[in-house]
Each structure stands twice: as C-alpha cells, then as structure tokens.
Amino acid sequence: MLNRIVRYLACPHCGASLALGDRALSCPSGHSFDIAKQGYVNLLPRATKLRADTKEMVEARDAFLSAGHYDPVMDALVDLARRTADPAVPGCIVDIGGGTGHYHAKVMDAFPDVDGLLLDISKYAVRRAAKAHPRIAAAVTDAWQTLPLQDAAAAVVINTFAPRNGPELHRILHPRGVLLVVTPLPDHLQELIGTLGLLQVDEGKESRLAEQLAPHFSAVGTERLTRTMALDHQALAHLVGMGPNAWHRDAQQDHETIQRLPVPSQVTLSVRLSAYRLSA
C-alpha cells in the first residue's frame, strides 16, 4: 500500500515529498526510511519520550476488538463518516493513533475508492495495522510531533481514544474534509473503576477536547453512544491489559480479582462521537 499512499507523505525531517524506492522511502535531501518486512515504515522525526503500547497490550487490544465488544462504536463511527464525509474530496483517510487498525478498516470498507494511512507510535500496533485492510498503509510516528503528511492530504481524519494535536490536524486536513473524534465519557467502564482500580475519565475531559480543537475546528455534529457489554473473565483481562490501565499493574492480582467477578459481568460502554470541520 505504500506505493499508493506515498504521494500524500512528507519527510518528517524536512517536509519534502517522499518517493518509494527499493524497500525504503526517501526525499530529495537524502533522508531515507527503511520499510520493515511487515510492510510498515518508521517515520518518527526524532526520539520521543512517549510510551508506546507494548506487544502484550497490542495483543490484548486485538483480541478484545476482534471479539466484537466495541463493534457498536465502530458502527457508529462508520455511520458518522458516511453522513459527514464527502467522497468527492481529494485525499486519503488518515487514522491518528489508530492502533491495530480495527476502526480504520471499518471506515475504509465504507469508502471503497479511497486509500488509507494509519499512524501510531507503537511498532507492534503498526505491524498489525499494516495487514488490517488491503487499502491501509501504516507508519510509526508521534502524534504530538509534525505529522509526516503533506498539507491538506487527508479527506477524513479519524481519532479514536488517541492524542489530538490541533495545529497538525488542521494542517493535514483538506479544507472540505472532516475530522471524526471518539472520546470516552465519565461513565465509561464505570463498573470496573473501583473493583479493578481502572483510570477514570474525569469530568473535564470534554472541555479539554474543546480547548484543543477550538482554535482550529468547529463542531458540526456530536452524539453519545451508551451500551452494556456482557464480558467474561477473558474479555475483562483483555480490557484491562489493552489500554493505559495496563501500565504498572500486578498481573497476578488482576487475575485473582477478575476471577471473583460474575460471569458475565455487565460493563458500561459510553463514548461521544463528534465531527469537526476547519474553522473559517
């Protein structure tokens, strides 16, 4: 897929166009980026202090999402994309912090004539994303640094449970494009917060999102999705292990606590889906 997406890419060091060569991308200034045997490319402009999801975290996320527990979110995201994205807008569909590519692949199916690029800081996630869909290319990058994309290269930008760099999202989005954001609400996974000591979504998250995007974007649609998931012990373990809750946890203690929970356990899924366009 890199041969179809390379026209949208930019060198993370100098911003010049990239060209596809023999197992590498390169720019006229001589910056070169090897293509991994798994099909992805590392376009990090410089070392980052951010933590990347580990192999174990990515495996847990892949198992949880493949089991269909977040399918309502994916379906709602696809529906929002169909209602807000104009297929005539030139550019690719970019997923920022897209992880394993599950959400991205669903959206790609709804837009059969568009190519996709998934960006994530975890090489383990990107390895899986490179195989998530025939029209998705994948690259390692840091969402808080300059994104390796040409100006206005994205017809659609997807951002699900991921960092949002307002100025860079504004730069890469086509003037008639749309930004689609999925964020957890305070009651998301509420039944597990006390029992398993999960991180809680604070009440100020929505206002921070607005602050991040307000100078660059205007909201054109927002909706809340709430469902109840019935999770067995294995699904609960994957849920705990796939996200930020996985850092600094005692695996044995988690296992023992989960084993004491009812089967199935009823867990709230609660997110907000929002669509944005560039501010005038």
Side-chain angles (χ1 to χ4, degrees), residues 107-125:
V107 175
M108 294 300 295
D109 284 340
F111 296 85
D113 299 322
V114 185
D115 296 323
L117 174 67
L118 183 143
L119 303 174
D120 198 278
I121 198 170
S122 169
K123 66 179 181 180
Y124 300 106

Side-chain angles (χ1 to χ4, degrees), residues 259-271:
Q259 292 304 308
R260 293 194 293 268
L261 296 177
V263 178
S265 288
Q266 305 300 311
V267 180
T268 298
L269 165 62
S270 183
V271 302

Side-chain angles (χ1 to χ4, degrees), residues 30-258:
H31 301 121
S32 182
F33 310 91
D34 293 338
I35 300 171
K37 63 180 179 180
Q38 296 90 349
Y40 72 92
V41 62
N42 190 327
L43 294 177
L44 269 174
R46 56 186 180 275
T48 177
K49 295 180 180 180
L50 293 181
R51 278 179 173 166
D53 288 351
T54 64
K55 180 180 179 181
E56 292 74 20
M57 292 169 69
V58 170
E59 289 175 347
R61 181 177 296 110
D62 184 63
F64 188 84
L65 296 178
S66 295
H69 302 299
Y70 276 9
D71 277 3
V73 181
M74 298 184 195
D75 293 341
L77 179 62
V78 170
D79 181 64
L80 183 61
R82 283 183 171 140
R83 288 186 280 114
T84 58
D86 181 355
V89 173
C92 57
I93 298 177
V94 181
D95 193 345
I96 307 293
T100 54
H102 283 77
Y103 298 93
H104 200 176
K106 290 274 190 177
V107 175
M108 294 300 295
D109 284 340
F111 296 85
D113 299 322
V114 185
D115 296 323
L117 174 67
L118 183 143
L119 303 174
D120 198 278
I121 198 170
S122 169
K123 66 179 181 180
Y124 300 106
V126 169
R127 284 176 183 174
R128 290 179 182 265
K131 301 177 181 178
H133 193 278
R135 286 182 285 113
I136 290 178
V140 176
T141 195
D142 179 354
W144 293 114
Q145 298 185 34
T146 301
L147 297 174
L149 281 158
Q150 302 284 343
D151 294 355
V156 179
V157 175
I158 306 168
N159 183 269
T160 56
F161 307 105
R164 291 167 296 276
N165 183 339
E168 276 299 285
L169 295 179
H170 182 276
R171 182 184 66 80
I172 68 169
L173 187 64
H174 189 277
R176 292 185 286 117
V178 62
L179 167 64
L180 306 177
V181 179
V182 181
T183 52
L185 290 170
D187 55 341
H188 185 57
L189 311 182
Q190 61 182 350
E191 295 84 359
L192 303 179
I193 292 171
T195 304
L196 291 170
L198 302 191
L199 297 174
Q200 185 170 16
V201 179
D202 67 81
E203 297 289 342
K205 190 175 184 69
E206 285 295 299
S207 61
R208 289 199 303 275
L209 171 61
E211 291 172 2
Q212 290 171 342
L213 298 180
H216 314 283
F217 295 91
S218 299
V220 295
T222 183
E223 58 196 64
R224 175 173 179 153
L225 173 69
T226 301
R227 297 287 188 274
T228 299
M229 301 180 290
L231 305 180
D232 60 18
H233 288 166
Q234 184 178 54
L236 289 169
H238 289 151
L239 179 59
V240 173
M242 75 181 198
N245 296 291
W247 299 111
H248 302 301
R249 297 191 67 90
D250 185 320
Q252 182 59 36
Q253 182 177 334
D254 283 343
H255 174 77
E256 293 172 357
T257 303
I258 288 172

